[in-house]
């Protein structure tokens, strides 16, 4: 695990965008796992800037996300595809909607959508993503894999706080990704970051499993790194 600490959120986001851009330059047709949330907003903005400066292209890559709402069709405005990925990235770069792969629980049914999503990733070269971008929850969860005695390796159904079903990637395909870029900012994440980097490897702090991965870059702003 390589930890890099930046003075500001903006610097952290730029550094993360540079790593993603390097991946896209190295392998334009790469398979890139994204994350939604407030943390990656800056990263997306920096990627859009790099695209507008003609320094990166998304035309050949395939994009994925850690989860998608399962009770709405892909065209619904509340689907993450439309509420996050279009406004923050797809609408501003040379990637179209068909390049973004998400489980479709509405069309396929919950269990089947999860199975299909794992099968899609299993079918990739080497059976894995080239890169997965992650954020972290204040309880050290990754994706929708919350602290628990036992984690679910495969894609599975979880429920949002409002009770809506979500199809979410399990820890298997997260940990299989060739490279993982973890971004975290703000003091509210400091305990989780410390547990991830220095705590025991435990399913009770799912991000600590990243200690077992051979290529993880952790990008933090100073407040997020304050308990390291
Ligand atoms: C949610 C998402 C995670 C994300 C986390 C932190 O639980 N499923 O993928 O990392 O929240 O979100 P934020 O970046 O808004 O703090």
């Amino acid at each position: 695990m390589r930890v890099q600490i930046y003075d500001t959120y903006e610097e952290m986001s730029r550094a993360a965008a540079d790593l993603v851009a390097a991946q896209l330059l190295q392998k334009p047709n790469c398979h890139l796992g994204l994350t939604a949330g407030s943390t990656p907003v800056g990263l997306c903005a920096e990627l859009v800037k790099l695209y507008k400066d003609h320094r990166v292209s998304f035309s050949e890559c395939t994009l994925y996300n850690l989860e998608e709402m399962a009770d709405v069709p892909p065209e619904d405005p509340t689907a993450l595809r439309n509420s996050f990925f279009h406004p923050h990235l797809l609408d501003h770069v040379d990637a179209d909607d068909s390049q973004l792969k998400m489980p479709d629980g509405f069309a396929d049914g919950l269990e089947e959508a999860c199975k299909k999503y794992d099968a899609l990733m299993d079918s990739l070269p080497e059976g894995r993503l080239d890169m997965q971008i992650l954020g972290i929850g204040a309880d050290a969860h990754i994706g929708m894999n919350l602290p628990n005695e036992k984690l679910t390796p495969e894609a599975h159904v979880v429920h949002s706080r409002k009770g809506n079903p979500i199809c979410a990637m399990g820890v298997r395909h997260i940990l299989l990704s060739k490279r993982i870029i973890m971004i975290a900012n703000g003091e509210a994440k400091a305990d989780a970051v410390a547990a991830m980097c220095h705590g025991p490897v435990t399913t009770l702090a799912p991000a600590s499993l990243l200690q077992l991965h051979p290529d993880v870059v952790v990008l933090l702003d100073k407040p997020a790194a304050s308990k390291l």
Side-chain angles (χ1 to χ4, degrees):
M1 198 178 252
R2 203 167 82 223
V3 180
Q4 299 175 182
I5 302 167
Y6 298 88
D7 284 339
T8 64
Y9 171 73
E10 288 71 25
E11 283 175 46
M12 180 201 85
S13 301
R14 263 198 297 279
D18 285 344
L19 293 177
V20 176
Q23 172 67 67
L24 287 163
L25 289 172
Q26 208 177 28
K27 186 179 174 191
N29 62 346
C30 66
H31 296 274
L32 183 58
L34 303 173
T35 180
S38 57
T39 313
V41 168
L43 161 61
C44 289
E46 293 298 334
L47 286 172
V48 171
K49 273 193 215 162
L50 290 174
Y51 167 72
K52 292 199 166 151
D53 287 347
H54 308 287
R55 290 173 56 201
V56 73
S57 167
F58 294 82
S59 63
E60 291 178 50
C61 70
T62 309
L63 303 167
Y64 302 79
N65 188 43
L66 291 166
E67 74 262 346
E68 180 56 294
M69 312 300 159
D71 56 348
V72 294
E75 58 275 15
D76 191 278
T78 63
L80 281 174
R81 170 183 294 279
N82 306 308
S83 64
F84 187 86
F85 292 103
H86 269 280
H88 289 294
L89 190 65
L90 294 184
D91 293 350
H92 313 286
V93 302
D94 57 346
D96 62 44
D97 190 69
S98 66
Q99 285 169 257
L100 176 59
K101 310 294 180 195
M102 314 263 263
D104 186 351
F106 190 79
D108 297 332
L110 304 182
E111 302 301 333
E112 188 57 24
C114 292
K115 274 196 197 137
K116 271 193 176 177
Y117 204 48
D118 269 335
L120 175 63
M121 290 190 196
D122 288 340
S123 74
L124 301 180
E126 296 179 48
R128 57 189 181 148
L129 296 168
D130 291 294
M131 178 179 271
Q132 175 65 55
I133 300 160
L134 291 178
I136 189 170
D139 58 358
H141 75 259
I142 46 175
M144 297 298 286
N145 299 281
L146 303 181
N148 206 333
E149 291 292 339
K150 213 174 149 199
L151 297 179
T152 309
E154 310 301 337
H156 55 282
V157 179
V158 293
H159 288 87
S160 70
R161 268 187 231 123
K162 289 185 194 155
N164 300 78
I166 295 170
C167 289
M169 233 166 108
V171 284
R172 183 168 78 88
H173 267 297
I174 293 178
L175 293 174
L176 270 177
S177 308
K178 246 182 244 178
R179 182 163 226 218
I180 294 176
I181 308 296
M182 158 63 75
I183 47 176
N185 69 290
E187 211 183 325
K189 301 288 175 70
D191 284 323
V193 166
M196 167 173 69
C197 298
H198 299 315
V201 175
T202 166
T203 58
L204 298 176
S208 68
L209 299 183
L210 300 181
Q211 291 177 33
L212 304 174
H213 191 282
D215 189 1
V216 179
V217 187
V218 179
L219 305 173
L220 306 170
D221 72 352
K222 279 195 168 156
S226 61
K227 296 201 174 155
L228 286 181

